[in-house]
Amino acid sequence: MHVSGCPPQGDVLVIGGGIIGLVTAWRAAQRGLRTAVVDPAPGGGAARVAAGMLAAVTELQYGEQTLLDLNLASARRYPSFAAELTEATGLDLGYRPCGTLAVALDADDRAALRELHAFQLSLGLESEWISGRDCRRLEPMLAPGVRGGLRVDGDHQVDPRRLANALLLACEGAGVAFHRDLVERIAVDGDRARGAVLRGGTSLTAEHTVLAAGSRSGVVAGLPEHVLPPVRPVKGQVLRLRIPRAYAPFLSRTVRGVVRGGHVYLVPRENGELVVGATSEELGWDTEVTAGGVYELLRDAHDLVPGITELPLAETLAGLRPGSPDNAPLLGPTALPGLLLATGHHRNGVLLTPITGDVMAEALTTGEVPPYARPFTPARFANALQEQAV
Ligand code: GLY
């Protein structure tokens, strides 16, 4: 492609039409930038699998306090973000401020949850330890053996499929162009990224190219090695059960559990869906649903809520989280002029969607990310990537 002398066709070309690519495109278009998205099936990706927990506090991990701040800031944006998206599209996102209960079944799991509670309190987070009896008072379907739990009224949920559908419609309404094709390679001309060449042969040029291809972001062709984001696929298997009307309300909030040291969650939607997740497997590009994965999820979920065995099993799916070395996203400009990243959201893509849109819009219009997003720029991996490249 010889494009260096030609003016770019657009201001922004987003590679990847999952929720992160779509929110980036929507916010860019709202700021008056001529924006296009490339994806063979926009609105797809990991959001079709994800449960949609907005669980900044209950999913807190040791060593991830910086990420916590970003997660909390995005969680705070959710009510107005959901309202704005509904206003723009007429679609309900299934945003449900229902809270979360994290419970433990045996002494070891209880000790682990107690430690998490102490950590949460040390960070000033709102989380209350309640007895097993109080857990069951809140959620009568819980197993009699529940030994206690954390009541976190600020961890909510959204329906990621509805979120993806709404973002797609909002993008269309804001004038975003869609190219339903695969990217052959990112076009790098001289010292700049200048768009992409598609499998169908089309060349698209843009002032800014945003790589938002989820778990595939680390293998996209055309980029110099030192710019490729260190993103890998992390498999998650998820089940969808259906709560018949006669059983409702089966659960009134998200229920999570530490079971035999592992984590399982049950996310009840108002439409009767109950999402049970998720495995976390480092198996490359494998998206097979396995008997073992389904068995473990059902076994652990059944230990917490025995009544789930009565529910119809509607769907089993596996998706790929875009994992990064520190489990945090890569947001903003890269060492290659014209190329920006919005990827690596790992377990927090749905939660971080609102704030990612804001960060990327700022980066695309000013060239810089806002101060709160500076810990998440791709530059934090620059040295490691340079070393790998030599
Ligand atoms: N945040 C839930 C998951 O990644 O399984």
Side-chain angles (χ1 to χ4, degrees):
M1 182 165 85
H2 302 285
V3 290
S4 49
C6 307
Q9 296 155 335
D11 297 316
V12 181
L13 180 65
V14 181
I15 296 174
I19 51 175
I20 295 300
L22 291 176
V23 78
T24 300
W26 182 41
R27 290 308 195 197
Q30 283 180 321
R31 300 235 186 161
L33 300 173
R34 292 168 303 151
T35 303
V37 172
V38 189
D39 193 305
R48 305 310 303 182
V49 182
M53 283 178 303
L54 307 175
V57 176
T58 42
E59 287 219 322
L60 175 66
Q61 303 281 325
Y62 297 99
E64 294 185 1
Q65 289 91 316
T66 312
L67 176 58
L68 170 70
D69 290 340
L70 194 72
N71 286 345
L72 288 171
S74 200
R76 281 194 293 274
R77 282 164 161 79
Y78 244 100
S80 61
F81 174 79
E84 186 186 350
L85 206 39
T86 296
E87 169 87 30
T89 62
L91 297 178
D92 175 15
L93 308 191
Y95 173 67
R96 192 174 169 203
C98 57
T100 296
L101 184 63
V103 300
L105 279 174
D106 66 21
D108 288 346
D109 298 338
R110 187 174 185 275
L113 210 52
R114 278 283 199 191
E115 263 185 45
L116 174 65
H117 187 223
F119 184 43
Q120 290 167 337
L121 295 185
S122 76
L123 297 171
L125 300 171
E126 280 185 32
S127 170
E128 182 191 359
W129 180 266
I130 60 175
S131 67
R133 183 178 300 174
D134 284 342
C135 289
R136 281 187 300 281
R137 211 170 274 149
L138 286 178
E139 296 297 340
M141 296 305 286
L142 280 172
V146 164
R147 306 277 296 253
L150 296 177
R151 178 177 176 170
V152 178
D153 288 344
D155 275 2
H156 303 316
Q157 63 156 299
V158 69
D159 184 335
R161 293 177 178 181
R162 292 179 179 211
L163 170 64
N165 294 345
L167 282 169
L168 194 52
L169 200 59
C171 281
E172 285 166 356
V176 173
F178 283 91
H179 300 272
R180 288 174 164 78
D181 199 347
L182 286 164
V183 167
E184 173 77 36
R185 63 183 160 85
I186 292 184
V188 179
D189 185 37
D191 61 353
R192 271 195 83 84
R194 296 192 186 269
V197 179
L198 310 190
R199 286 274 167 88
T202 308
S203 289
L204 299 172
T205 56
E207 184 67 21
H208 303 290
T209 304
V210 179
L211 179 55
S215 58
R216 301 205 64 79
S217 302
V219 293
V220 69
L223 290 178
E225 213 155 299
H226 72 277
V227 185
L228 262 184
V231 170
R232 67 184 198 285
V234 181
K235 177 179 174 182
Q237 301 189 48
V238 171
L239 317 176
R240 281 175 163 78
L241 283 65
R242 199 162 39 74
I243 302 169
R245 260 180 221 282
Y247 290 27
F250 190 77
L251 295 172
S252 66
R253 73 202 70 217
T254 297
V255 168
R256 308 174 56 94
V258 188
V259 184
R260 287 177 281 271
H263 292 266
V264 65
Y265 47 79
L266 297 90
V267 183
R269 301 223 197 286
E270 262 157 7
N271 66 5
E273 186 174 81
L274 179 67
V275 187
V276 177
T279 65
S280 186
E281 303 164 77
E282 302 275 354
L283 289 175
W285 303 106
D286 173 36
T287 51
E288 204 77 69
V289 175
T290 63
V294 174
Y295 166 71
E296 278 175 29
L297 290 173
L298 284 177
R299 180 196 62 194
D300 293 351
H302 171 260
D303 283 356
L304 292 182
V305 180
I308 62 155
T309 49
E310 303 295 321
L311 305 180
L313 176 59
E315 198 179 353
T316 59
L317 265 180
L320 298 173
R321 305 176 184 89
S324 77
D326 59 5
N327 298 333
L330 292 92
L331 302 173
T334 65
L336 181 69
L339 180 76
L340 296 90
L341 300 181
T343 189
H345 292 68
H346 194 43
R347 300 179 72 92
N348 297 303
V350 178
L351 173 60
L352 290 173
T353 295
I355 206 161
T356 296
D358 294 346
V359 171
M360 295 309 293
E362 184 82 7
L364 287 164
T365 47
T366 69
E368 292 197 16
V369 300
Y372 61 80
R374 287 197 191 132
F376 306 100
T377 58
R380 72 189 189 278
F381 297 120
N383 288 343
L385 292 174
Q386 290 283 12
E387 278 161 24
Q388 264 173 33
V390 290

